[in-house]
Amino acid sequence: MNNLYRNLLLFAVMLALVAVVGISQSWNVALAILNLCLISAIMTLGVNIQWGYAGLFNAGVMGFAALGGLAAVLISMPPVPAAWQAGGNGVVTGLAFGIGTVLAGIISWRKTAHLGGKRYWLTALIAVAGYTLMRWVIDPAIVAVEAVEPAKTGFLGGFGLPIMLSWLVGGAFAAGVAWLVGKVSLGLRSDYLAIATLGISEIIIYFLKNEDWLTRGVKNVNGLPRPVPYEIDLQHTVWLQNWVETYGISLIDASSIIVKLCYAGLFVAVLVVILWLSETALKSPWGRMMRAIRDNETAASAMGKNVTWRHLQVFVLGSAVVGMAGAMLTTLDGQFTPTAYQPLRFTFLIWVMVIVGGSGNNFGSVLGGFVIWFFWIEAEPIGLALMELITSGMAQDSPLRHHLLDNAAHMRLMTMGLVLLLVLRFAPRGLIPEVKR
Amino acid sequence: MTDVLNTLALVSNFIIVPGLAYGSQLALGALGITIVYAVLRFSNFAHGEMMSFGAMITILVTWVLQARGINLGPLPTALLALPLGIVATIGLCLATDRLVYRYYRQKRASPVTYLIVSVGVMFLMGGLIRFVIGPNDQIFADGARFIMKAREFKQMTGLNEGLAIKSSQGVTVLTAVVIVAVLFWFLNRTRTGKSMRAYSDNEDLALLSGINPEQVVFIAWIIAGTLAAVAGTLYGLDKSYKPFTFLQLLLPIFASAIVGGVGNPLGAIAGGFVIAFSELIVTFAYKKVLGYLLPTGLAPEGLAQLLSTDYKFSVSFMILVIVLLVKPTGLFSGKTL
């Protein structure tokens, strides 16, 4: 019981910190921080499923989050009919050829074990031929699609469905890629997964930056539809105008606070569902088995548990949650910016959240997501103020002073690295330690 | 006949010469990873930042030297500054080991704990580097730009295609050869080198024979730091120095180490060249080659490029995947030093 009070206190302090920002800066800022805290918490839960339950190191959180963002674009943006007309068929046929090649390669590899060394050549031949065919079909189509009003569209658009659907689809995208990566690298040495995920996440980002026909690349996709009302529409409603008059706050502030609250409501709902599912899973026989595998793989496999398969399962699950959070983040931003995906922000920061929160404890992950995101945002003013203080003794035009002030932003990187190392060393169990069951 | 020679010059210019240089850089990086793996038994994610740190110190010293008018004539001044870069990187490695890794070694932590610790170190170092030198491109190459210019080659041979060899490429290959030779001599001929190999092969047996593990680890960090500083400086000389690229370089370097067989120095070198040449072969535009070799009229209209240059990093990933699927132990079945 003592622990329960302690944990409740930690959460209360956290919410109080957000409230302090609300009172001292503005409620708009506080709610913006809160929304990102919620998304971070969901992402952290995903990573905690992989690391806390199973001890798998995923160094590619960024890639899975970006796949979620891609899903948001593909699901919600309206299709571009002109682009479909120009090259839709070519792109679809080309992709079909690509998928066909992969399937043909797999089948030929599986069925030709008796050929010995020739097997490699046959599979390679199929791969090269299929790839050439795909490029031959798809390249002119892509050029045609990208030529359609490149300043405004230049891509195929999406399906024009409600954007909240993309939260599920984003999870599915991430799960699919995670399955492929896991299939290749799990069951081998433990660090292969880390290296493979590091690689795939970079490649996903390169893909999203360069395939303009799909994502407009570095031109970004702006104006994604929203699941919540627009500020401008709210400002025209009579009830809000009356309400604002009664309480004497500005109309613009009130509308944007309401929009942020709507988002917060949606995110809290998702967070609660995922948290409940994770907790239930952790308490179930499945969770016991996962912990047994994590703590002693040899013993667990001696008890007849298929360690590799379970690792794959848990890796896919965790990645799906990360993908979902990625889609939610893009929904909140209202735009898809491939260049915004930085490993520091999306892979590393999430890891710090998991470790600081307490690996293996879902509530710890949520708290970690909140705490680290809050300080990540507030560290900028704090860090700058600190640098001002340190350099205040120097001459105004001292080059060292300028250098320090200019590079103060990189202090965050160092601080987070330091926080991770310190927590790992001195409090490896985190803020809310894993419960011994 | 001229067509064949032209093709040869073209391929040398765009694949063989850059491939040798890039391959040497990757090989040196992969060697560092492999040495740390063989002795400390973890994949060091901070190795890219160690390279970056070595290059950074070298650049800073180079600037000081350049400002005082000291140079090496046709050779880049950075070579003169490199020893200081090496010493600083070794110092950084030893300090990190003392402050961070030693604790986990004594606790006999699992490899994945080491891994996540090394990620923390990576970001700490990355922040330090950006704090000191900033996130932007730094150019520090000086001396003669080319050993052979494309125009000179054309005049010499009368071919259409030029062959240019940058001096940074020459310096890279030569330095790499020297470093690797010294390393192999050390590992195979000296007492300390042999004790390191023994420790890597079988820790318990090595301990029983009276090998001091702390000394082996000490030497391993010295070697890793040296390799990292050299590799980082050579890469910076050849391309350009930008802190961000070293995170991206981590993937090809790890791929090189794994392709060759982690823990196997010979494999790391082979892996480096496999990755470098595959990257260049796959992203090379074959339009001109086909133009020379095919009968007139059959030459393709497009670039005839297998993969756009933007995706060159994905090549190492694909090779990594193929190796993991087909032969997870690597080409030179790894795990001995």
Side-chain angles (χ1 to χ4, degrees):
Chain A
M1 266 302 95
N2 217 348
N3 272 335
L4 181 67
Y5 288 128
R6 184 174 157 275
N7 298 346
L8 281 177
L9 186 71
L10 283 172
F11 273 102
V13 168
M14 188 58 235
L15 288 179
L17 279 176
V18 177
V20 166
V21 172
I23 293 162
S24 66
Q25 295 182 351
S26 88
W27 283 104
N28 241 327
V29 175
L31 282 174
I33 293 180
L34 180 74
N35 276 336
L36 281 165
C37 281
L38 287 167
I39 291 177
S40 305
I42 297 173
M43 234 179 245
T44 311
L45 275 177
V47 176
N48 184 43
I49 290 174
Q50 296 169 340
W51 169 249
Y53 292 17
L56 299 177
F57 187 87
N58 175 359
V61 181
M62 168 181 76
F64 297 110
L67 281 176
L70 173 66
V73 170
L74 291 187
I75 290 297
S76 71
M77 285 309 275
V80 182
W84 275 99
Q85 212 156 25
N89 287 336
V91 168
V92 172
T93 328
L95 289 180
F97 273 132
I99 296 168
T101 307
V102 172
L103 290 180
I106 292 172
I107 291 170
S108 78
W109 176 256
R110 289 225 172 123
K111 297 279 175 194
T112 54
H114 56 280
L115 286 180
K118 286 183 196 150
R119 197 178 174 202
Y120 295 95
W121 292 108
L122 184 70
T123 316
L125 190 71
I126 290 176
V128 171
Y131 180 72
T132 318
L133 194 63
M134 180 184 101
R135 285 287 300 271
W136 184 66
V137 176
I138 212 170
D139 280 0
I142 286 178
V143 172
V145 167
E146 289 175 1
V148 180
E149 285 194 81
K152 267 172 72 187
T153 54
F155 76 135
L156 283 174
F159 293 98
L161 296 170
I163 196 165
M164 279 173 69
L165 193 65
S166 73
W167 299 0
L168 292 176
V169 177
F173 278 9
V177 172
W179 186 81
L180 284 177
V181 175
K183 198 74 188 150
V184 174
S185 52
L186 286 169
L188 300 169
R189 269 199 10 238
S190 60
D191 15 11
Y192 284 175
L193 179 72
I195 295 162
T197 44
L198 180 81
I200 194 78
S201 69
E202 289 287 341
I203 290 167
I204 289 172
I205 303 301
Y206 268 96
F207 178 81
L208 296 179
K209 274 185 198 164
N210 287 302
E211 298 304 313
D212 287 17
W213 59 275
L214 189 68
T215 63
R216 297 196 77 216
V218 289
K219 288 181 287 185
N220 305 343
V221 181
N222 296 317
L224 294 176
R226 278 184 178 182
V228 300
Y230 284 85
E231 284 91 345
I232 191 81
D233 294 336
L234 278 175
Q235 286 160 20
H236 290 300
T237 53
V238 179
W239 64 267
L240 187 68
Q241 286 166 356
N242 291 338
W243 196 70
V244 163
E245 216 138 287
T246 337
Y247 291 96
I249 32 177
S250 100
L251 187 63
I252 294 169
D253 273 354
S255 63
S256 86
I257 284 177
I258 290 179
V259 168
K260 289 202 171 74
L261 279 176
C262 290
Y263 273 122
L266 288 175
F267 296 158
V268 166
V270 175
L271 178 63
V272 167
V273 169
I274 292 180
L275 190 59
W276 179 74
L277 286 174
S278 316
E279 273 298 290
T280 319
L282 203 54
K283 278 180 193 142
S284 69
W286 181 86
R288 262 199 308 281
M289 175 190 66
M290 288 317 306
R291 286 196 299 281
I293 291 177
R294 178 194 64 190
D295 293 341
N296 193 336
E297 280 184 26
T298 324
S301 86
M303 299 299 288
K305 305 296 176 202
N306 187 343
V307 173
T308 310
W309 157 240
R310 290 298 169 187
H311 274 169
L312 184 61
Q313 190 184 28
V314 86
F315 182 65
V316 168
L317 276 175
S319 302
V321 174
V322 173
M324 224 166 147
M328 292 163 71
L329 182 66
T330 307
T331 310
L332 177 67
D333 288 344
Q335 59 173 351
F336 179 67
T337 336
T339 41
Y341 290 97
Q342 300 287 338
L344 163 70
R345 154 77 180 84
F346 279 93
T347 300
F348 180 59
L349 198 63
I350 306 296
W351 268 97
V352 179
M353 291 171 183
V354 175
I355 302 288
V356 169
S359 28
N361 189 316
N362 292 317
F363 294 100
S365 298
V366 175
L367 183 68
F370 270 74
V371 170
I372 296 299
W373 183 258
F374 182 83
F375 282 107
W376 178 251
I377 292 295
E378 293 293 314
E380 204 167 312
I382 298 175
L384 206 59
L386 198 70
M387 270 298 149
E388 297 256 345
L389 189 74
I390 292 175
T391 55
S392 58
M394 299 180 194
Q396 271 301 320
D397 53 347
S398 141
L400 183 64
R401 178 169 187 275
H402 272 283
H403 181 82
L404 286 178
L405 283 179
D406 284 347
N407 287 340
H410 302 296
M411 285 288 283
R412 293 215 284 198
L413 193 55
M414 244 190 306
T415 321
M416 285 298 155
L418 201 60
V419 166
L420 182 68
L421 288 178
L422 289 176
V423 171
L424 273 174
R425 171 79 173 261
F426 297 107
R429 283 150 52 78
L431 283 174
I432 306 184
E434 190 185 348
V435 186
K436 287 260 179 288
R437 290 173 211 261
Chain B
M1 188 58 203
T2 10
D3 281 348
V4 176
L5 284 179
N6 267 325
T7 313
L8 217 61
L10 189 70
V11 169
S12 310
N13 191 27
F14 287 104
I15 297 184
I16 297 181
V17 172
L20 281 175
Y22 184 41
S24 315
Q25 292 149 9
L26 286 186
L28 287 177
L31 267 176
I33 297 244
T34 264
I35 298 275
V36 171
Y37 183 81
V39 171
L40 290 113
R41 298 177 209 288
F42 73 97
S43 304
N44 184 11
F45 268 60
H47 198 78
E49 298 301 334
M50 274 159 55
M51 287 166 62
S52 179
F53 182 84
M56 179 187 78
I57 298 290
T58 310
I59 290 174
L60 295 178
V61 177
T62 307
W63 284 344
V64 172
L65 291 178
Q66 281 169 346
R68 304 200 166 182
I70 304 171
N71 61 49
L72 278 179
L75 291 174
T77 317
L79 283 186
L80 209 58
L82 185 57
L84 268 173
I86 292 177
V87 170
T89 317
I90 292 176
L92 181 75
C93 288
L94 292 175
T96 327
D97 184 69
R98 175 70 187 74
L99 291 173
V100 183
Y101 295 122
R102 197 174 70 161
Y103 169 78
Y104 298 97
R105 194 158 59 244
Q106 284 164 352
K107 254 184 55 180
R108 296 196 154 263
S110 66
V112 75
T113 313
Y114 267 114
L115 194 70
I116 186 166
V117 168
S118 79
V119 173
V121 172
M122 163 169 118
F123 278 93
L124 195 61
M125 285 184 185
L128 183 73
I129 289 163
R130 283 165 182 74
F131 190 64
V132 174
I133 204 164
N136 301 324
D137 246 332
Q138 311 288 350
I139 295 164
F140 63 107
D142 54 1
R145 289 265 294 138
F146 289 98
I147 296 176
M148 178 155 63
K149 284 184 183 154
R151 197 156 39 84
E152 288 170 7
F153 180 82
K154 282 186 200 166
Q155 281 167 354
M156 207 164 65
T157 56
L159 292 172
N160 282 342
E161 293 300 329
L163 172 63
I165 304 179
K166 286 198 283 181
S167 36
S168 62
Q169 291 167 331
V171 167
T172 299
V173 175
L174 277 181
T175 319
V177 168
V178 171
I179 295 275
V180 168
V182 172
L183 179 67
F184 276 79
W185 170 80
F186 172 79
L187 287 178
N188 293 321
R189 293 299 150 104
T190 62
R191 217 180 140 74
T192 330
K194 283 179 185 165
S195 72
M196 266 182 80
R197 280 165 51 214
Y199 182 83
S200 154
D201 244 1
N202 186 332
E203 197 180 334
D204 295 331
L205 207 56
L207 292 181
L208 277 177
S209 342
I211 290 171
N212 178 3
E214 285 303 307
Q215 192 205 353
V216 171
V217 169
F218 183 76
I219 305 280
W221 278 121
I222 289 181
I223 296 176
T226 312
L227 288 169
V230 173
T233 307
L234 292 180
Y235 186 84
L237 267 182
D238 193 20
K239 311 272 163 47
S240 76
Y241 174 83
K242 197 175 182 183
F244 179 64
T245 47
F246 288 89
L247 188 65
Q248 293 178 324
L249 213 52
L250 207 54
L251 179 65
I253 288 175
F254 266 116
S256 308
I258 292 174
V259 167
V262 200
N264 183 331
L266 211 60
I269 295 171
F273 286 105
V274 167
I275 298 284
F277 278 107
S278 331
E279 253 185 41
L280 291 165
I281 287 172
V282 173
T283 54
F284 179 62
Y286 288 92
K287 182 186 165 74
K288 269 182 153 178
V289 169
L290 294 176
Y292 282 123
L293 293 184
L294 292 176
T296 5
L298 269 182
E301 277 177 29
L303 286 171
Q305 196 178 17
L306 278 173
L307 201 65
S308 125
T309 325
D310 299 320
Y311 288 116
K312 65 177 199 290
F313 286 107
S314 68
V315 175
S316 39
F317 182 76
M318 281 183 239
I319 294 176
L320 180 71
V321 165
I322 293 172
V323 169
L324 290 187
L325 283 174
V326 179
K327 200 163 185 291
T329 45
L331 297 175
F332 292 70
S333 310
K335 193 58 225 28
T336 45
L337 189 69

